[in-house]
Amino acid sequence: SAVISQKPSRDICQRGTSLTIQCQVDSQVTMMFWYRQQPGQSLTLIATANQGSEATYESGFVIDKFPISRPNLTFSTLTVSNMSPEDSSIYLCSAGGTGVTEAFFGQGTRLTVV
Amino acid sequence: SQQGEEDPQALSIQEGENATMNCSYKTSINNLQWYRQNSGRGLVHLILIRSNEREKHSGRLRVTLDTSKKSSSLLITASRAADTASYFCATSLRGGYNKLIFGAGTRLAVHP
């Protein structure tokens, strides 16, 4: 199993600013993922954070808006750039979930953009 | 994009009753997993069923998988107020690299 610490747990930000969310795993993991959960909705995968290379983004998500870092096998960051109220969501970090095993999730970052 | 749909979208029952949630998906899968989310926080893994399995049990949970119909169901028996949460199915796609695609979710409310 893996324990994931995600911070901040919540934030209220002004439009036009950027927020960086940190995700720390207590053990080395190959796969790390970032999800967005809009109010009342399910989880949508933003990207796979690859260690040592650029993240792999899903359709509808771009690096300029959601830059991701993965400097090692236990840590990743997601930045939400140039925020607008439409970016108000819960952002979740996940590790594992290789497809044959379960995924572990951080507690999420509840972002409100005003 | 989401893999499939879940129904019902919301379910309200009394303690002690059983709760059944259904999940449908669109493409061939490696496995299907169920997760629970309390109050918009992190997700907790409940159970994983592989594509070659038809039924799996874990405590009060029973999961079935019908690959011919591309559907799964989660049954929670003898529900408790603490089971109040949102429940999501997630699929791992066959042939794709390792990632999970989540269904729309069912909001379950269990009343004392």
Side-chain angles (χ1 to χ4, degrees):
Chain A
S1 65
V3 176
I4 299 178
S5 301
Q6 189 174 334
K7 60 181 181 182
S9 59
R10 61 175 61 228
D11 208 341
I12 301 174
C13 300
Q14 297 291 322
R15 68 177 66 200
T17 62
S18 298
L19 175 71
T20 296
I21 303 167
Q22 298 181 5
C23 179
Q24 178 75 54
V25 188
D26 69 343
S27 59
Q28 292 187 345
V29 292
T30 303
M31 310 295 289
M32 291 184 73
F33 304 91
W34 287 97
Y35 289 86
R36 181 178 72 183
Q37 187 177 27
Q38 295 175 302
Q41 303 297 313
S42 183
L43 280 72
T44 301
L45 181 63
I46 296 172
T48 303
N50 302 308
Q51 194 270 327
S53 64
E54 194 170 283
T56 304
Y57 289 85
E58 297 298 308
S59 176
F61 297 96
V62 295
I63 188 171
D64 289 346
K65 177 66 175 177
F66 298 102
I68 289 171
S69 77
R70 178 90 191 270
N72 56 52
L73 291 175
T74 64
F75 186 79
S76 178
T77 67
L78 168 75
T79 299
V80 185
S81 302
N82 189 24
M83 290 184 284
S84 67
E86 292 70 36
D87 294 320
S88 297
S89 296
I90 297 172
Y91 292 86
L92 295 119
C93 167
S94 168
T98 61
V100 295
T101 60
E102 65 184 282
F104 301 95
F105 284 84
Q107 285 299 299
T109 296
R110 186 180 293 270
L111 171 63
T112 302
V113 183
V114 296
Chain B
S1 60
Q2 290 175 12
Q3 164 74 304
E5 299 298 322
E6 289 179 64
D7 75 272
Q9 291 185 336
L11 182 60
S12 182
I13 60 175
Q14 297 296 126
E15 263 190 331
E17 294 181 339
N18 296 340
T20 299
M21 289 159 269
N22 302 297
C23 167
S24 62
Y25 56 92
K26 299 175 182 174
T27 59
S28 295
I29 61 172
N30 287 321
N31 63 59
L32 186 144
Q33 305 181 35
W34 285 90
Y35 288 82
R36 185 181 75 193
Q37 184 181 39
N38 290 83
S39 302
R41 304 307 291 173
L43 275 72
V44 175
H45 180 263
L46 295 177
I47 197 165
L48 179 153
I49 185 165
R50 303 190 192 285
S51 60
N52 62 353
E53 297 177 312
R54 292 298 167 259
E55 186 171 312
K56 202 161 185 179
H57 297 255
S58 177
R60 293 185 296 114
L61 306 180
R62 173 177 169 256
V63 169
T64 63
L65 179 65
D66 187 334
T67 53
S68 67
K69 296 181 179 178
K70 292 186 169 58
S71 67
S72 175
S73 67
L74 170 67
L75 168 67
I76 303 175
T77 60
S79 63
R80 307 165 181 168
D83 294 328
T84 295
S86 292
Y87 292 82
F88 297 93
C89 67
T91 52
S92 165
L93 303 183
R94 186 181 300 281
Y97 69 93
N98 297 321
K99 62 181 181 180
L100 294 177
I101 306 299
F102 284 81
T106 294
R107 294 187 305 279
L108 173 65
V110 182
H111 303 283

